[in-house]
Amino acid sequence: TFRHLNAIDVVRLCRWSYGTYLRRRAPSWQSPEQVELGVDRLKLHTRSHRHEILHRFDAAVQDAFEG
């Protein structure tokens, strides 16, 4: 059992196990460059809409200047 562990150890164990799981899943993500698995930060954008949004923004700016 985990009764002998303190909260810090439990958090470390959870972070390690979840990080291991995510790293195994990473190859199947559509936008792995938008994922950050750090010690202090967990950023999960496994399916990023960034390129689509930037393209729409560029088109809107171009229309504003031409229009």
Side-chain angles (χ1 to χ4, degrees), residues 61-67:
V61 169
Q62 186 174 2
D63 287 346
F65 280 110
E66 291 176 356

Side-chain angles (χ1 to χ4, degrees), residues 11-12 17 20-22 27 30 32 37 42 49 54 63-65:
V11 169
R12 286 181 182 150
S17 61
T20 300
Y21 167 77
L22 291 172
Q30 292 183 10
L37 303 173
L42 180 63
H49 301 282
L54 289 175
D63 287 346
F65 280 110

